[in-house]
Amino acid sequence: HLPLVTLSDAESRALAFGQVVTREGGTPEASLARAVDASGTLVAVCRWEGATLKPVRVFANYRGQSAVS
């Protein structure tokens, strides 16, 4: 399983638009992570590059709704 990262609303919107998100706290152990919004909806699978989370595959639109049924 991929590690889980819970996003703020602003971070969820940024990833949904293909933008990167920078998180405090250094480099995580795994290079890939599941990024979810506050309700637990999968937003994207992302790759960590240092403290930057870059979307690899986006599953939600800009309103936070799942693009996959």
Side-chain angles (χ1 to χ4, degrees):
H1 296 290
L2 296 175
L4 183 70
V5 176
T6 302
L7 305 168
S8 68
D9 288 339
E11 291 171 328
S12 295
R13 280 191 300 277
L15 286 180
F17 280 113
Q19 299 171 348
V20 300
V21 170
T22 301
R23 304 290 303 262
E24 300 287 326
T27 305
E29 293 179 20
S31 63
L32 293 175
R34 295 174 291 148
V36 299
D37 65 13
S39 70
T41 300
L42 181 63
V43 175
V45 171
C46 298
R47 177 176 314 283
W48 283 106
E49 293 185 11
T52 302
L53 198 57
K54 295 184 176 187
V56 174
R57 175 67 170 98
V58 176
F59 297 98
N61 63 29
Y62 70 97
R63 287 178 235 117
Q65 300 166 334
S66 176
V68 177
S69 298

